[in-house]
Amino acid sequence: MTILAAGRTGATAALRAVLLMALACVALPVATAAAPGTPDAPLLLPDMPLHDPWIVADRATRTYWLFTRNEQQLTGDNRLGIMAYRSRDLKHWQRPVMVFALPEDSWANDGAWAPEVHRWKGRWYLFSTFYNDGLKLPEENGRQPVRRSTLLASSATLGGPYRLERGGAPIVAAGRMTLDGSLHVDRAGKPWMVYAHEWVQVGDGTIEAVPLDATLAAAGPPQLLFRASDAPWVKRADPADVKGGNVTDGPELFRTRTGRLLMLWSSYDRRGYVQSLARSKSGEVRGPWEQLPPLVRGDSGHGMLFRTFAGKLTMVLHRPFEKARGKLYAMRDLGDTIAVERELTELDGETQPVVTAAGD
């Protein structure tokens, strides 16, 4: 800084030339390293099929990891599992790699939904939902539930490979249809899994939480947090229609700068998928929970929050529900709640942005 300032105030042309040559030499290693936008990172978000996106900002390598269900046409691997895209700038992405494959002898044969990756006690833990429609559970009020559970896997490294914990046993009892499990650590340092109890089993879908122990195994019975019908905007099914129900989907908890506890979650209104928000009145996972206005409509949902390397609060979600792609939003932490600033169209390539719920 001192040398450059002196050059601006009277250095000779020769000295300036020497300085420019020196700076060029210093910059050379960066210029020759692989950079976003090169063949090493050829994908843009419109090119990337994904549902239920989950982003980990790995500060050690300054790399964003985006986890989603494996797609054979992208990885060349036909196994049921989870893949991850990587990016340096949230715009240019490397081709995905397989990070978890469900063992072939597993009870499940479909799913790999809603992967979440969390750091806990020195390891990385992957939560994801799997199912098997051929494994029927006892009928409930004319409904035919099936095996559907959130499973846990772990790895010493963020990029895997992840291996099942406890032989692939469900975190919540196998008789309970448990969707989209999400890790929450409360202010006392106690872990919980918050999840959706499927409408397929209960009709009016719920969001529930189960306490976990230090190994992330269940440490008590599930606790009801709220029902889908508690949100005034949710499209309600006829209670007598055993093929219909009120959907709960994609919970993720976030504590604001003032300590308020919020929950992102999704359901449907009369026009499509909705990214919504709830707030705990107690500031704890047990609630009670109040429903806040939705954040984004326009067939958008299953969002999660992360901070960029510049410290900016950002939300990623998928839109539309069918043939989904990732969408990025700059967010504001208002203390009592969060709000959308704008859709980051320069990153997600969206030509018809849905900026806010009111803008739908």
Side-chain angles (χ1 to χ4, degrees):
M1 293 291 290
T2 303
I3 293 175
L4 291 175
R8 288 194 295 269
T9 59
T12 65
L15 178 57
R16 286 197 298 270
V18 170
L19 288 172
L20 289 173
M21 290 176 65
L23 288 173
C25 291
V26 170
L28 184 60
V30 176
T32 57
T38 69
D40 289 330
L43 300 179
L44 303 176
L45 282 166
D47 306 322
M48 297 161 51
L50 58 89
H51 259 265
D52 310 340
W54 183 267
I55 290 179
V56 174
D58 181 29
R59 296 190 178 278
T61 61
R62 296 191 71 80
T63 301
Y64 299 101
W65 290 72
L66 194 165
F67 296 87
T68 188
R69 173 188 164 114
N70 179 53
E71 299 288 347
Q72 181 182 355
Q73 68 269 28
L74 291 170
T75 62
D77 194 321
N78 66 0
R79 292 176 296 172
L80 179 62
I82 306 300
M83 66 182 189
Y85 301 96
R86 288 164 292 170
S87 174
R88 298 285 187 173
D89 62 359
L90 294 172
K91 181 173 183 177
H92 304 94
W93 296 84
Q94 295 180 18
R95 297 191 183 281
V97 295
M98 191 85 160
V99 298
F100 170 70
L102 190 71
E104 292 184 359
D105 60 356
S106 171
W107 60 269
N109 61 8
D110 211 336
W113 294 340
E116 294 198 5
V117 176
H118 298 267
R119 188 73 169 167
W120 174 255
K121 294 191 177 298
R123 289 183 65 81
W124 293 97
Y125 285 87
L126 168 68
F127 295 71
S128 187
T129 300
F130 294 84
Y131 70 95
N132 186 332
D133 282 341
L135 297 179
K136 308 298 184 184
L137 297 175
E139 288 191 15
E140 298 189 22
N141 299 318
R143 297 179 176 276
Q144 180 55 76
V146 299
R147 284 285 305 273
R148 183 171 294 172
S149 297
T150 296
L151 306 184
L152 183 67
S154 73
S155 171
T157 60
L158 178 57
Y162 289 83
R163 307 297 184 197
L164 286 173
E165 292 284 313
R166 291 181 286 279
I171 298 172
V172 175
R176 202 176 193 92
M177 293 186 71
T178 305
L179 180 73
D180 298 349
S182 181
L183 181 65
H184 168 66
V185 180
D186 66 21
R187 286 190 280 204
K190 180 179 179 58
W192 297 74
M193 187 178 79
V194 180
Y195 64 91
H197 190 174
E198 276 275 49
W199 64 270
V200 177
Q201 186 169 41
V202 297
D204 192 4
T206 64
I207 298 291
E208 300 176 358
V210 61
L212 306 177
D213 64 19
T215 69
L216 303 184
Q223 301 178 27
L224 173 66
L225 304 186
F226 59 85
R227 295 180 171 84
S229 60
D230 291 345
W233 52 268
V234 164
K235 180 181 179 181
R236 286 162 173 74
D238 181 350
D241 179 8
V242 296
K243 294 184 178 180
N246 306 325
V247 173
T248 48
D249 196 20
E252 190 228 356
L253 277 67
F254 172 77
R255 199 170 292 281
T256 71
R257 57 183 173 79
T258 62
R260 300 303 298 269
L261 185 62
L262 306 178
M263 184 193 301
L264 296 178
W265 71 285
S266 294
S267 188
Y268 289 85
D269 69 2
R270 60 186 178 83
R271 288 184 287 181
Y273 206 41
V274 174
Q275 180 57 66
S276 193
L277 189 66
R279 179 170 60 207
S280 170
K281 292 182 178 180
S282 69
E284 301 299 339
V285 67
R286 292 184 180 90
W289 290 85
E290 57 183 333
Q291 300 302 318
L292 303 180
L295 290 169
V296 185
R297 283 192 162 99
D299 205 19
S300 309
H302 204 113
M304 64 83 63
L305 296 164
F306 67 99
R307 289 197 181 273
T308 68
F309 298 130
K312 179 62 182 175
L313 185 64
T314 304
M315 179 172 69
V316 60
L317 52 74
H318 69 240
R319 182 170 69 244
F321 190 83
E322 300 294 335
K323 298 182 179 179
R325 295 295 187 269
K327 309 298 174 183
L328 292 164
Y329 287 82
M331 306 295 291
R332 284 178 292 156
D333 181 345
L334 302 177
D336 261 4
T337 186
I338 56 173
V340 172
E341 281 186 2
R342 66 182 185 92
E343 185 169 350
L344 297 170
T345 55
E346 69 274 21
L347 298 180
D348 66 32
E350 181 59 72
T351 58
Q352 296 180 317
V354 179
V355 178
T356 65
D360 177 30

